[in-house]
Amino acid sequence: MMILALETTAKAASCAVLQDGMPLATAWQATGLTHSRTLMPMVEDMLKNSELTLEGIDAIAVAAGPGSFTGLRIGIAAVKGLAWAADKPCIGVSTLEAMAWPLAHVTGTIVCAMDARRSQVYNALFLAAGEGLQRLTPDRAIGLDQLGEELKKVEKEKIVVGDGARLCYNTLTEQGITLKMAPEHLRMQSAWGVARAALELVRSGGLVSGEELAPVYCRLSQAERERLEREAKSK
């Protein structure tokens, strides 16, 4: 099984190809340029330089959320286009699970954190025990205070990953919670993690068509929240 994976949920964009669990190629960019400008040229260059073709890919995976609303839409649209052009199935992967996979080899609780603003993080907890991951919570937008109360009850070593890791670490250590930061090269979202999470979904029958592929936001956009607040005030 050869999987092409894309990650566009935060500042960095990346792509990777995984074959039977082994990485064949990867590219990563965090220059501040928009994903709509950098993503597809990066994918094309990675495939060309690796002498791979879209026709040789079995499925195309993407981090489907949570994450930046704009980034998610760019990634989903790109995968839909690639899948339609090459008649390939798709895999929509939890961004948070994809963040945890690079640390599946350790022993402890993986605390996945993306800054969701308003003193919240997009979060999920996973148990790593050297082989694979066990999901402990669903993906959610959660207040840092509430997350802190949950983590006080966790006895195993707690390792924070994601682009919200620093925020989570600083806030919760002030509450007396002992955390470790994942090493920098494993901390941020990556397409390799997306590909590895996608492999689990392939094994469990999680392939979908490009038409069925959809983003998972976990909460309303700021514009939608503001609209609802205006409507509530006008009543």
Side-chain angles (χ1 to χ4, degrees), residues 2 18 24 38 40 51 73-74 139 163-164 180 186 217:
M2 190 176 295
L18 197 74
L24 291 184
T38 61
M40 291 311 298
E51 296 186 346
R73 288 165 181 154
I74 291 171
D139 292 357
D163 62 3
K180 286 182 63 176
L186 298 177
Y217 295 122

Side-chain angles (χ1 to χ4, degrees), residues 13 15 39 70 90 93 104 121 146 166 207 210 216-217 223 226 230:
C15 54
L39 181 64
T70 301
C90 301
V93 169
V121 288
Q146 182 181 347
R166 177 60 65 183
L207 291 171
V216 179
Y217 295 122
E226 291 174 350
R230 289 195 301 271

Side-chain angles (χ1 to χ4, degrees), residues 7-60:
E7 221 297 344
T8 59
T9 64
K11 180 181 178 181
S14 59
C15 54
V17 175
L18 197 74
Q19 183 174 31
D20 299 328
M22 295 294 293
L24 291 184
T26 186
W28 189 89
Q29 189 167 327
T31 58
L33 298 174
T34 62
H35 297 340
S36 58
R37 177 178 172 183
T38 61
L39 181 64
M40 291 311 298
M42 185 164 55
V43 171
E44 292 169 3
D45 288 345
M46 179 190 69
L47 293 176
K48 179 180 178 181
N49 294 335
S50 305
E51 296 186 346
L52 298 171
T53 65
L54 194 57
E55 288 70 25
I57 298 296
D58 296 303
I60 307 173

Side-chain angles (χ1 to χ4, degrees), residues 112-191:
C112 301
M114 301 176 68
D115 189 358
R117 311 297 180 188
R118 297 190 172 196
S119 297
Q120 287 189 327
V121 288
Y122 294 122
N123 164 262
L125 304 179
F126 296 87
L127 180 64
E131 292 185 13
L133 295 171
Q134 177 185 343
R135 180 181 280 274
L136 301 177
T137 70
D139 292 357
R140 66 247 176 114
I142 187 172
L144 286 167
D145 289 343
Q146 182 181 347
L147 178 59
E149 290 302 315
E150 285 189 16
L151 293 178
K152 287 177 182 177
K153 304 172 186 177
V154 176
E155 296 181 357
K156 293 182 180 294
E157 184 175 58
K158 297 173 280 291
I159 306 167
V160 191
V161 300
D163 62 3
R166 177 60 65 183
L167 169 67
C168 195
Y169 178 87
N170 290 345
T171 303
L172 298 185
T173 52
E174 289 178 358
Q175 299 177 17
I177 300 169
T178 301
L179 300 170
K180 286 182 63 176
M181 291 275 282
E184 289 190 13
H185 67 287
L186 298 177
R187 190 178 305 162
M188 297 304 180
Q189 294 92 310
S190 73

